[in-house]
């Protein structure tokens, strides 16, 4: 990255989050540039999900600022927040497709109701997105008829169809059977090739090594260390990161 | 006096067929109105409760508990015979319609609310994260699921409340029981009562079939 940096696609500034007495995030600063894939690792309870959920205000930050393409996410009226949320796609560990709607309708709903696209336009776009995740042939299937991996890919298509500026992934493959993980990672890899800006919280370390521009290590609600994957995995500096890495590699072995 | 003479006397049937048919229509349209408005009002109340404003939730919960606790007949008697003493006179059929609607709405609100709170939080969040407003999430994500998951209890409640139109006989609504009762008193024959039973079968048997169809149609796996 050069000295004259362009406007970050997502900028987190001095973010704090408390749940009652418990401080979950303390002074988080993170800039994600256009087209960058930032991978977030850290032990359970370190605040990774909370940080992502603050970015689209599913969780209300206690203090700090979030900007998407320079526009504030905080301190704006609900109507404006709904508009801003269109720019921030989110993929959940649990998929959360709408079970009463077909795959196609899952992808058209927000396009029609939040973006105001016509039925024809929304369906065309939905089919395009389902094609992108390899599920065009499942457009009419109900979520209950899809495997977990397929459901997660529909969920990705649902977020993508709104033309977000940044995509947040919170452990997108953690609820999947091992043989289905690859299909979802492939979609994420394709997205990266297409220049999508992404923050990925995940335990798929090999994916981080291969696809991440930057890896962020969180522990105890702070960013302890960040850098390119070679540095973070090959040459960890802090003891906490070293301990964490030896723990997860121990689990994997 | 043989059985048919007592319960299915052709002359009596001929005499009272017309008023009975008219009574069947009264029962049907009051039931249909009650079911439509009760479902709509119950869903609306559950929706308002979802906003989690204390000044909204509190009266809704109180209303639902009262309406489910009190016998509908008592409420009808109060409205029909009590209100005139303070100068408010309501139509007999309107009292029947109003009370049954409120009672159904109370049950529907509770049924909807129980499901809405048991749906995974992710359903609300997935909607919100895609830029849908709270109302849009409610209408397009939460309600359709609450409805589909509760077809059997909603249908049962609707059938039960429709049969309660028989209470109308106490306040003079010309529905099936009321008309059959007068006919029985006037003729001294049990035949009108048989006709009433048959009339209910004719109305509710198709309703039952329809409800089975709806249950099958909208059933989906989770
Ligand atoms: N709604 C909440 N109320 C109270 N505490 C919460 C809430 N949500 C999260 N926490 C707490 O905040 C801390 C961070 O949680 P978070 O889910 O962000 O961690 P995480 O890094 O995503 O963990 P994991 O890897 O297990 O998903 C945890 O201690 C958790 O118990
Ligand atoms: Mg988490």
């Amino acid at each position: 990255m050069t000295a004259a940096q362009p406007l970050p696609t997502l900028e987190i500034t001095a973010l704090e989050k408390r749940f009652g007495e418990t401080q979950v995030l303390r002074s988080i600063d993170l800039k994600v540039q256009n087209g960058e894939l930032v991978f977030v690792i850290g032990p359970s309870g370190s605040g990774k999900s909370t940080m992502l959920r603050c970015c689209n205000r599913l969780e209300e930050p206690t203090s700090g600022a979030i900007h998407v393409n320079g526009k504030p996410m905080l301190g704006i009226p609900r109507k404006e927040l709904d508009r801003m949320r269109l720019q921030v796609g989110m993929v959940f560990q649990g998929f959360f497709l709408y079970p009463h709607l077909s795959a196609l309708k899952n992808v058209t709903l927000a396009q029609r109701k939040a973006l105001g696209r016509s039925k024809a336009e929304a369906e065309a776009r939905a089919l395009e997105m389902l094609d992108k995740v390899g599920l065009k042939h499942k457009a009419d299937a109900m979520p209950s008829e899809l495997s977990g991996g397929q459901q997660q890919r529909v969920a990705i298509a649902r977020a993508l169809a709104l033309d977000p500026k940044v995509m947040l992934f919170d452990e997108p493959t953690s609820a999947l059977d091992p043989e289905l993980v690859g299909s979802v990672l492939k979609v994420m890899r394709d997205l990266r090739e297409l220049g999508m800006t992404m923050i990925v919280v995940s335990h798929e370390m090999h994916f981080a090594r291969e696809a991440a521009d930057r890896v962020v290590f969180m522990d105890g609600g702070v960013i302890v260390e960040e850098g390119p994957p070679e540095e973070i995995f090959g040459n960890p500096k802090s003891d906490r990161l070293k301990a964490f890495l030896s723990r997860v590699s121990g689990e994997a072995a | 006096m043989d059985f048919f003479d007592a319960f299915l006397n052709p002359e009596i049937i001929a005499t009272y067929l017309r008023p009975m048919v008219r009574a069947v229509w009264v029962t049907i349209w009051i039931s249909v109105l009650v079911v439509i408005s009760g479902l709509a009002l119950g869903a609306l109340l559950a929706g308002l409760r979802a906003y989690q404003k204390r000044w909204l939730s509190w009266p809704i919960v109180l209303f639902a508990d009262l309406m489910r606790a009190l016998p509908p007949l008592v409420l009808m008697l109060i409205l029909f015979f009590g209100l005139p003493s303070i100068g408010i006179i309501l139509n007999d059929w309107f009292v029947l319609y109003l009370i049954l609607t409120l009672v159904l709405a109370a049950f529907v609100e509770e049924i909807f609310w129980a499901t809405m709170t048991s749906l995974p939080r992710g359903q609300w969040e997935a909607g919100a994260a895609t830029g849908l407003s709270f109302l849009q999430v409610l209408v397009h994500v939460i309600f359709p699921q609450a409805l589909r998951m509760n077809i059997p209890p909603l249908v049962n409640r609707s059938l039960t409340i429709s049969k309660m139109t028989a209470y109308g006989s106490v306040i003079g609504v010309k529905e099936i029981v009321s008309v059959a009762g007068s006919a029985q008193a006037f003729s001294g024959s049990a035949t009108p009562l048989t006709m009433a039973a048959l009339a209910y079968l004719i109305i509710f048997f198709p309703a039952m079939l329809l409800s089975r169809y709806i249950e099958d149609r909208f059933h989906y796996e989770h």
Side-chain angles (χ1 to χ4, degrees):
Chain A
M1 255 167 268
T2 55
Q5 284 193 359
L7 196 61
T9 300
L10 179 78
E11 182 168 19
I12 302 174
T13 318
L15 177 65
E16 307 258 339
K17 175 63 184 174
R18 267 193 301 274
F19 288 107
E21 293 295 288
T22 0
Q23 179 110 23
V24 173
L25 298 176
R26 48 193 97 214
S27 68
I28 300 274
D29 289 292
L30 186 66
K31 282 190 188 132
V32 184
Q33 298 297 340
N34 187 28
E36 212 183 359
L37 192 159
V38 172
F39 198 94
V40 182
I41 58 175
S44 182
S46 56
K48 308 180 295 294
S49 297
T50 306
M51 181 180 78
L52 283 195
R53 293 162 56 80
C54 281
C55 290
N56 62 359
R57 282 178 64 189
L58 288 182
E59 221 64 84
E60 208 54 50
T62 307
S63 65
I66 311 275
H67 287 86
V68 177
N69 274 346
K71 292 207 209 81
M73 277 302 275
L74 273 59
I76 51 176
R78 172 70 203 235
K79 266 228 151 67
E80 181 61 23
L81 174 61
D82 289 338
R83 261 196 298 278
M84 286 299 287
R85 278 174 166 167
L86 289 166
Q87 321 222 347
V88 184
M90 183 145 200
V91 175
F92 302 85
Q93 180 176 351
F95 330 139
F96 301 123
L97 291 186
Y98 312 131
H100 60 294
L101 298 178
S102 68
L104 184 76
K105 289 242 162 67
N106 263 277
V107 185
T108 55
L109 179 65
Q111 289 190 70
R112 304 214 42 210
K113 303 300 169 187
L115 270 183
R117 286 185 182 148
S118 72
K119 185 163 188 258
E121 195 185 357
E123 286 185 352
R125 185 94 178 114
L127 286 173
E128 188 190 326
M129 289 303 130
L130 286 173
D131 195 28
K132 200 176 255 181
V133 300
L135 289 172
K136 196 175 177 183
H137 61 294
K138 293 286 187 187
D140 294 322
M142 298 304 280
S144 59
E145 299 163 344
L146 299 174
S147 75
Q150 291 172 329
Q151 288 187 51
Q152 190 59 298
R153 286 186 280 152
V154 173
I156 293 173
R158 173 173 69 181
L160 282 180
L162 302 168
D163 302 321
K165 299 285 181 290
V166 56
M167 287 280 287
L168 312 175
F169 292 84
D170 192 1
E171 305 206 25
T173 58
S174 296
L176 297 176
D177 293 336
E179 72 272 20
L180 300 176
V181 168
S183 66
V184 172
L185 292 183
K186 178 184 178 304
V187 166
M188 293 168 65
R189 214 172 282 129
D190 293 347
L191 270 183
R192 182 193 144 67
E193 295 303 315
L194 292 168
M196 176 56 75
T197 310
M198 303 157 81
I199 303 186
V200 180
V201 173
S202 167
H203 299 295
E204 305 290 339
M205 298 298 172
H206 58 279
F207 180 75
R209 280 176 195 277
E210 149 209 0
D213 295 295
R214 196 148 45 107
V215 177
V216 168
F217 170 63
M218 286 179 71
D219 194 7
V222 295
I223 294 180
V224 177
E225 210 172 318
E226 63 178 296
E230 317 78 74
E231 281 294 308
I232 293 291
F233 295 118
N235 185 21
K237 302 214 166 43
S238 65
D239 290 338
R240 284 201 272 178
L241 176 54
K242 284 177 193 160
F244 173 74
L245 288 175
S246 72
R247 228 177 18 251
V248 293
S249 64
E251 276 163 25
Chain B
M1 211 190 226
D2 73 351
F3 177 84
F4 278 99
D5 217 33
F7 290 98
L8 283 168
N9 183 314
E11 269 169 50
I12 304 272
I13 291 178
T15 313
Y16 292 105
L17 192 60
R18 252 164 192 277
M20 279 306 288
V21 168
R22 235 177 289 135
V24 165
W25 282 116
V26 170
T27 295
I28 288 178
W29 70 252
I30 292 185
S31 298
V32 169
L33 282 184
V34 163
V35 167
I36 292 173
S37 23
L39 289 175
L41 181 61
L44 178 70
L45 291 176
L48 289 175
R49 198 172 162 188
Y51 280 86
Q52 312 221 344
K53 301 267 184 270
R54 197 163 308 170
W55 55 271
L56 263 176
S57 313
W58 200 82
I60 292 172
V61 173
L62 184 70
F63 164 82
D65 286 350
L66 276 179
M67 286 297 151
R68 291 182 307 150
L70 292 170
L73 188 55
V74 172
L75 295 167
M76 285 176 209
L77 293 176
I78 292 174
L79 248 57
F80 193 70
F81 295 111
L83 285 189
S85 63
I86 55 165
I88 302 173
I89 297 173
L90 298 174
N91 267 335
D92 45 33
W93 67 265
F94 182 73
V95 168
L96 180 64
Y97 161 77
L98 182 68
I99 295 301
L100 294 186
T101 295
L102 295 181
V103 171
L104 179 59
F107 280 101
V108 170
E109 188 277 328
E110 286 300 305
I111 291 171
F112 263 72
W113 180 249
T115 307
M116 287 161 65
T117 54
S118 70
L119 283 178
R121 200 156 64 113
Q123 288 291 325
W124 297 84
E125 293 182 346
T130 51
L132 297 175
S133 69
F134 186 79
L135 184 62
Q136 286 174 325
V137 174
L138 212 56
V139 170
H140 299 291
V141 177
I142 304 301
F143 272 177
Q145 294 186 59
L147 189 65
R148 281 167 168 79
M149 289 167 74
N150 287 303
I151 298 274
L154 290 173
V155 165
N156 278 335
R157 278 289 157 201
S158 299
L159 289 177
T160 307
I161 208 84
S162 298
K163 281 184 281 185
M164 287 186 191
T165 50
Y167 289 147
S169 58
V170 180
I171 54 175
V173 179
K174 297 269 171 275
E175 49 64 64
I176 296 172
V177 172
S178 158
V179 170
S182 324
Q184 186 269 334
F186 199 75
S187 65
S189 160
T191 300
L193 301 179
T194 316
M195 292 169 76
L198 289 175
Y200 276 114
L201 276 185
I202 290 168
I203 298 174
F204 285 103
F205 200 67
M208 226 85 101
L209 291 181
L210 181 68
S211 74
R212 289 224 189 287
Y213 170 77
I214 295 174
E215 280 169 29
D216 289 345
R217 176 80 215 285
F218 288 103
H219 180 81
Y220 68 94
E221 283 163 43
H222 294 279

